[in-house]
Each structure stands twice: as C-alpha cells, then as structure tokens.
Amino acid sequence: MLIGIIGAPNKGKSTLFSALTMNDVAIADYPFTTIDPNSGIAYATHECAEMRLNVKCKARNSLCVNGTRRIPVNVIDVAGLVEGAHEGKGMGNQFLNDLAAADAFMLVVDASGRTDSAGGLAQHCSAVEDAEMILSELYQWLSGIITKHIQAMSKNKDGVSALEAVLTGLKIPRSSIERAIGKCSLTSSNISWSDGDALKFSKALLQEAKPVAIIANKIDVGGDATANVKALKDRFGEANVFECSAAIEMALRKASSAKVINYLPGSKSFEVIGSNVSAEQRKALDYMLSFLEGSDHGTGMQRALDSTVFNVLDNIVVYPVEDENKYTDHFGNVLPDAILLKKGSTALDLAVAIHTDLAKHMLYAVDAIRRMRIGKEQELHDGDVVKIVSAAK
C-alpha cells in the first residue's frame, strides 16, 4: 500500500511526512523545499487480536504496543503542486508522475489560511480553493494522459482494455475503469471522447480508484482555522476532513525519541520523563499538552492516517496462522503477521497476499476464532484469524 501526500507548497506536507515516518526531510517555509520525492514508512494502528483472544502476540511484520497493532504503510511526499502543474508549471508533471502508484492521497491544506495557493505568506486564504486547485491538477493530469492516446484507443472496439493499457502504470483495476465509465454514461467502444468527456471520466476514475483524505493542517496556528475547517467539511464531507497539527506531532515524536517524554502517537496526553528539562522546554511542553487536552483527537495525525487506511481505503486486518489452535506460525510465534486486505476480500485473497504458490494450491481455510472450516470464496472480516490449508509444500 502506498499513500501519497500532496498539496500546494508550504502547507506542511513535509512536516506531516516527517512526523508520520520520523524521517529527516527538508522542512522550510518557502515553496519547493521538496525536490526529490521523500518515501518512508508510517504506522496505522488497529486493536490487536490478542486483546480478544486473551493471548500475548509476538508481532513479526508489524509492532504491537499495549494491545495496539502498528501496521507499516508506505508513504510518499512530493513537491508542492501549483496551478498549471499538469502543463509543466512549478515542478511540473514529474511530481504528478511520482504519485502514479499511490493507492490514496492525503491532501494537505493550510487551515489557518496564512499561505496562498503558490505557498507565499498571506492572510485569509481559502483552504477549500487550495484543495480544489490540487484536485483539478490531478484530474487534468490524468485527462492529459488519456487524450494523448485517444486516437489509438478509437481503433480498439474494447475501450476498457484500451484504457487499461494506457493506465497500466497507475495501479487502477479494470473494475474501477468500468464503474467510472458507467457513472459518466460514456461509450466504452472505440473511444473517441472529447476533452470534456476525458476530464469528466478522469475525475470519476480518480474518485473511484484513488480516494482523497483532506488534511486540515496548522489548526494550532489559529488565523482562519475554525472557518476554513467548517468550509472544508461543508464541501468535502465531515468524514473526509481531518484537523491536524503536523508541527506539534513532530515535536512530540522528537521529544519522545530523545527520552524527554513518553508519548504514544494518537494520545491526548504524555508523561515528562526527562530529568534535565529546561524552563523553555517545559513551557513548550505545557503548550503542547494544553493543545492535546483541548482537542478531540490529539494532534489528529494518527486519526488521519488510520482513517485513510481503514475508512477511505476500506481495509480490514486479518491474521494468518499455521496452528489454528495456538494461533501461531511454524516457529511458534503467536499472531505474527497482520495483513491489510480490502473489505470484501476472501480467504483466497489472503492466500494470494501471503504467497502465490499457497494460493495456487489452496484447498480450504480454517476460521481459527470460530473453529470452523471455510471455503476459498468465504468473505473475511476485520480481526479474523485464519489458517490457509494448501497442497503446496
């Protein structure tokens, strides 16, 4: 899974990336700080199955902290996009192309309204207009790819296959292409769409295949944050907008790494454990603690990531095991792996995620919690513990 962090310059994308991954990246208050895309690992959180099964897990492909499984997710941060990026303006199409493999986007806007669409310092800027501009650039970027191949596609009676070939590098499944065509009531045979049709289809396809979470960043700065957050929720829906302070999250994670505080991402509090905390540090910590306690979701960062993974992308967590009685793998590790799967995935999909040979020779599966045999096409549920029985050696 890959989540792309996008937005106009100077909205806090790199700070958000650094806070999520604890990677050292260039962070500054001027446009185009990020030139080469940054990539790293963030951790989505989910209640570990050990809590329901009354066992102690030994996590292998993830981490487990106090009954919370921390599941690695790939994240990429690219340069800020400006209006006209799809035409090569700003850092241009290079960075749009860097996002091609993303499964979803976290679109970062400045909720305080103190930076304009080009990243310059300003006052009373609309976060909605910033988000709309970025989305428009994505739609027009994809539309440009399609219109470039219209003439060739018009010769193919199977338009869906033709689009599949054109969009092969974008990780877009055939089913999403078919649904987007249907939503737009467009022909899928010998495609010779107009530019307007291509743009309409591109918008529908991206909404279908690469969903977007709106990150209302810099809510700690003040300014027009309250008004901008309301406007964002009115425009994009409350469930798709996440209020955040990437700067405070990064400061807390750095303080935790330095053993100054004990802080668990997503918490609304922390404990000062450092013995040599200066008066200046104490003042900063008091400010951040006050912010956390006054917020419904702490800094909002962990909630934003978790919601992107589990709600926006509609994933569940399943635990594959070899011993359905002890919930262990071949080496005796309890609940070693937590696998992310799309909601609606089957036991066979889980086998594919583990290994293609396992799936190829799969016979059936065992629901370890309910102690029952299940078929290949049995739909799995969030938190299931499953043994795959296969003829593969």
Side-chain angles (χ1 to χ4, degrees):
M1 178 186 299
L2 178 64
I3 296 174
I5 299 175
I6 59 175
N10 201 18
K11 306 300 178 180
K13 297 189 301 11
S14 294
T15 305
L16 184 143
F17 172 85
S18 186
L20 285 176
T21 65
M22 285 306 290
N23 283 11
D24 291 327
V25 300
I27 300 170
D29 59 352
Y30 54 85
F32 307 125
T33 304
T34 304
I35 303 300
D36 296 319
N38 298 305
S39 60
I41 302 294
Y43 290 87
T45 60
H46 191 275
E47 183 182 80
C48 182
E50 71 171 21
M51 301 297 288
R52 291 188 296 134
L53 300 176
N54 197 30
V55 296
K56 180 57 187 172
C57 78
K58 188 173 183 180
R60 187 179 64 174
N61 77 334
S62 48
L63 306 171
C64 189
V65 181
N66 298 329
T68 297
R69 191 62 74 107
R70 297 172 57 81
I71 305 166
V73 177
N74 294 304
V75 181
I76 184 171
D77 164 41
V78 301
L81 300 174
V82 298
E83 191 167 6
H86 70 284
E87 298 173 333
K89 294 181 181 178
M91 304 310 293
N93 273 323
Q94 172 187 347
F95 299 103
L96 285 165
N97 292 334
D98 287 330
L99 296 168
D103 297 291
F105 299 119
M106 297 176 76
L107 198 171
V108 184
V109 297
D110 180 356
S112 74
R114 293 182 175 178
T115 52
D116 61 28
S117 59
L121 299 180
Q123 295 291 329
H124 309 302
C125 296
S126 169
V128 170
E129 289 181 7
D130 272 357
E132 295 278 19
M133 183 272 287
I134 297 299
L135 291 173
S136 177
E137 289 301 318
L138 289 176
Y139 301 150
Q140 292 183 78
W141 161 67
L142 180 56
S143 178
I145 294 173
I146 293 169
T147 55
K148 183 179 178 181
H149 295 86
I150 283 290
Q151 187 174 357
M153 288 194 295
S154 68
K155 300 174 183 178
N156 191 333
K157 187 175 181 179
D158 185 354
V160 175
S161 293
L163 281 166
E164 269 192 297
V166 168
L167 304 175
T168 186
L170 275 68
K171 289 176 63 178
I172 296 177
R174 183 184 181 91
S175 58
S176 293
I177 295 173
E178 291 172 336
R179 283 193 292 268
I181 290 174
K183 286 180 180 179
C184 298
S185 300
L186 295 170
T187 179
S188 61
S189 179
N190 300 104
I191 291 174
S192 56
W193 298 337
S194 67
D195 289 353
D197 288 338
L199 183 59
K200 181 169 67 172
F201 168 77
S202 297
K203 182 176 181 179
L205 183 61
L206 282 175
Q207 290 173 346
E208 173 75 31
K210 296 181 183 289
V212 176
I214 307 294
I215 310 301
N217 192 30
K218 304 188 183 183
I219 59 170
D220 56 304
V221 176
D224 299 328
T226 300
N228 266 322
V229 168
K230 182 181 183 305
L232 287 166
K233 289 181 177 179
D234 288 344
R235 170 61 183 85
F236 298 103
E238 188 166 348
N240 297 315
V241 177
F242 304 93
E243 302 167 54
C244 293
S245 172
I248 290 181
E249 180 70 22
M250 186 171 70
L252 290 171
R253 293 202 186 193
K254 285 188 173 182
S256 182
S257 295
K259 307 299 182 184
V260 174
I261 63 173
N262 185 9
Y263 169 69
L264 189 64
S267 299
K268 291 186 61 180
S269 185
F270 58 81
E271 177 188 6
V272 179
I273 58 175
S275 56
N276 297 309
V277 179
S278 69
E280 185 177 359
Q281 287 176 316
R282 175 67 68 174
K283 183 178 180 180
L285 291 171
D286 287 344
Y287 166 75
M288 291 188 286
L289 181 60
S290 176
F291 176 84
L292 291 180
E293 293 177 340
S295 170
D296 291 335
H297 304 285
T299 67
M301 292 281 293
Q302 191 63 53
R303 173 176 176 257
L305 178 64
D306 290 347
S307 294
T308 301
V309 172
F310 297 111
N311 298 332
V312 175
L313 280 171
D314 216 17
N315 283 300
I316 61 172
V317 179
V318 179
Y319 301 83
V321 297
E322 291 188 50
D323 186 328
E324 70 271 33
N325 297 307
K326 297 180 179 179
Y327 313 121
T328 59
D329 65 7
H330 181 71
F331 301 101
N333 298 310
V334 178
L335 300 172
D337 297 329
I339 305 293
L340 289 171
L341 294 174
K342 281 284 189 182
K343 189 177 291 183
S345 293
T346 65
L348 180 59
D349 293 323
L350 174 62
V352 171
I354 298 170
H355 199 285
T356 53
D357 281 346
L358 190 69
K360 183 179 179 181
H361 300 283
M362 180 180 175
L363 301 174
Y364 60 92
V366 177
D367 184 324
I369 296 178
R370 298 169 184 83
R371 306 294 186 188
M372 60 184 292
R373 175 170 167 167
I374 59 177
K376 295 181 182 180
E377 301 306 319
Q378 175 67 45
E379 182 178 333
L380 302 179
H381 301 93
D382 192 39
D384 278 354
V385 180
V386 178
K387 174 182 178 177
I388 301 296
V389 179
S390 173
K393 295 181 179 180

